[in-house]
Amino acid sequence: MKGLFLAATFLTLTGFQAVNAASDTANATATVTAAIAIANVDDLEFGAAVQGDALKVVATGDTEAAEFTVTGQASTAYTITLPATATMITAGGGSADTEIVVSSFTSLPAAGANGMLDAGGSQTLLVGGQRAALSATQTAGAYTTTFTVDVVY
C-alpha cells in the first residue's frame, strides 16, 4: 500500500497526467476559373461629317457600333465598364476646333453586371456612343482616339 501511495505521489509531483486526444483531416480545395479576355473586332465609326453638323449617335444595333468578343469561363456572368468620355483629335489637338468629344457610351449587353458568357465561354459585346456637334470652324481632317472597355468577373 505504501508503494502505491509513493507511486501516486511521484506521478502527481512529476506532472504526469492521463492524456485524451483526437485528430481528423480536412481537404484543401480550389477552383481555377478561365481568365476573362476582351478583343476588339470592329471600331466605333462616326463616319464623315461637315463643319457645323449636329451631334451624331451610334446605337449598339447600328453597323457603325464597335464590336468586341469577350471570352472566358463558360456560363459565367461578368461586369462591363464603359468610359464616361473620350476625345478624338486631329492636328495634335489642343483646341476646341481640333477635338471632338465622344460621350454617352452604351453597350449591348448593357454596362454593369449584365454580361453572360455562353456555354462555349464567349459573348459578343457591342458599344455605341455619341459624337459631339461640330463647330462651324471645326478643323477638317481625320479624328481618332482610343477608348477602353473593361470586363471583369
Side-chain angles (χ1 to χ4, degrees), residues 26-114:
N27 294 323
T29 64
T31 301
V32 177
T33 301
I36 193 166
I38 184 169
N40 177 255
V41 176
D42 202 11
D43 293 327
L44 177 59
E45 297 283 343
F46 289 103
V50 298
Q51 294 167 322
D53 267 1
L55 66 83
K56 180 174 181 178
V57 174
V58 173
T60 55
D62 296 341
T63 58
E64 297 92 353
E67 180 180 338
F68 297 87
T69 300
V70 181
T71 57
Q73 186 71 31
S75 304
T76 301
Y78 65 94
T79 299
I80 303 159
T81 304
L82 302 174
T85 63
T87 302
M88 298 186 293
I89 63 170
T90 195
S95 72
D97 284 340
T98 59
E99 299 179 351
I100 304 171
V101 174
V102 179
S103 62
S104 302
F105 285 92
T106 59
S107 65
L108 182 65
N114 296 307

Side-chain angles (χ1 to χ4, degrees), residues 114-139:
N114 296 307
M116 177 60 77
L117 299 175
D118 63 20
S122 181
Q123 185 175 42
T124 297
L125 172 64
L126 302 173
V127 176
Q130 175 179 292
R131 184 212 71 212
L134 305 179
S135 74
T137 56
Q138 194 78 45
T139 302

